[in-house]
Amino acid sequence: MSSWTLDDLRRLDLKHAEEGIHIHQRPFRAATEILGSSFVIGVGGNPEVKRIMDAYAAMMPEVDTNWPGAGIGFAASIDQVRKLTFQVAFGRVSLQPWQVAGFASAKEWWIWCRQDKAIAGDVAFSVADLHDFTNGLSEVENAIPAATTLWRMARSNVEDVANTLPTSFSHDSVIQPICLVAELSMKVSVVRVLGSNGGLN
């Protein structure tokens, strides 16, 4: 068993922050740095990995709320807005709208939708849009660098809106990022068309 303290985790957190490592990635990084060659996960793994990561999460609860998943979006039920985090999925996975919206059950989601089929349908469309928007980046990535950059900028603005709206009393604060999402998405289309016709390098 390796010897480590919360001071070690705080020191590593500062180091990782200076290196620009996202908060949700830091517990894993801390465990790899503390354990070195003893770092083993999975079946027969080192139980100390979980102890370090749990201690890190207890020290910095934000690690559990800052996971970006594959993409971030939002859905609305009249005047209530909820952040959506599209999960990273491997293999064949069936995700229901209520799961992507972070509800514990379909019943809880249905109540949030005010038991209104139209609102539930709009939320399902928001989840589908997030899926398409998230996977759209994979389609242009490494093909046309200029389009990829614009797409990432558009996605960043969607994330800003998703992080702001659920807790904001003023909707004016999200008008600019919403306009930027539309503008940058249209630019992606133009860049892709010009790029596919040999107009861009």
Side-chain angles (χ1 to χ4, degrees), residues 138-188:
S138 299
E139 188 181 328
V140 297
E141 203 154 25
N142 301 322
I144 305 170
T148 303
T149 300
L150 291 167
W151 204 243
R152 287 186 190 282
M153 291 167 64
R155 186 171 69 177
S156 176
N157 279 280
V158 169
E159 291 175 6
D160 287 344
V161 174
N163 287 321
T164 302
L165 264 182
T167 57
S168 175
F169 290 106
S170 169
H171 297 152
D172 295 339
S173 60
V174 295
I175 292 174
Q176 184 175 7
I178 287 173
C179 291
L180 284 169
V181 170
E183 178 186 340
L184 291 163
S185 298
M186 287 187 280
K187 284 182 177 178
V188 169

Side-chain angles (χ1 to χ4, degrees), residues 41-61:
I41 58 174
V43 178
N46 185 343
E48 195 68 10
V49 172
K50 184 174 183 339
R51 280 193 277 276
I52 292 170
M53 292 177 68
D54 287 348
Y56 205 112
M59 179 184 80
M60 300 279 297

Side-chain angles (χ1 to χ4, degrees), residues 32-92:
T32 60
E33 290 188 33
I34 289 170
L35 297 174
S37 61
S38 299
F39 178 88
V40 182
I41 58 174
V43 178
N46 185 343
E48 195 68 10
V49 172
K50 184 174 183 339
R51 280 193 277 276
I52 292 170
M53 292 177 68
D54 287 348
Y56 205 112
M59 179 184 80
M60 300 279 297
E62 295 87 352
V63 301
D64 291 327
T65 57
N66 279 275
W67 164 243
I72 293 173
F74 56 92
S77 174
I78 303 181
D79 60 346
Q80 291 183 295
V81 178
R82 191 162 180 104
K83 179 179 175 180
L84 307 177
T85 303
F86 200 80
Q87 301 171 20
V88 177
F90 298 97
R92 292 186 71 170

Side-chain angles (χ1 to χ4, degrees), residues 57-143:
M59 179 184 80
M60 300 279 297
E62 295 87 352
V63 301
D64 291 327
T65 57
N66 279 275
W67 164 243
I72 293 173
F74 56 92
S77 174
I78 303 181
D79 60 346
Q80 291 183 295
V81 178
R82 191 162 180 104
K83 179 179 175 180
L84 307 177
T85 303
F86 200 80
Q87 301 171 20
V88 177
F90 298 97
R92 292 186 71 170
V93 178
S94 176
L95 293 173
Q96 299 300 318
W98 61 269
Q99 293 171 308
V100 177
F103 288 100
S105 67
K107 182 180 180 182
E108 186 182 319
W109 169 72
W110 180 238
I111 292 168
W112 184 78
C113 291
R114 292 165 163 88
Q115 300 180 4
D116 184 314
K117 288 182 180 178
I119 293 173
D122 288 342
V123 173
F125 279 125
S126 294
V127 170
D129 287 341
L130 174 59
H131 174 272
D132 293 344
F133 194 65
T134 298
N135 291 315
L137 183 57
S138 299
E139 188 181 328
V140 297
E141 203 154 25
N142 301 322

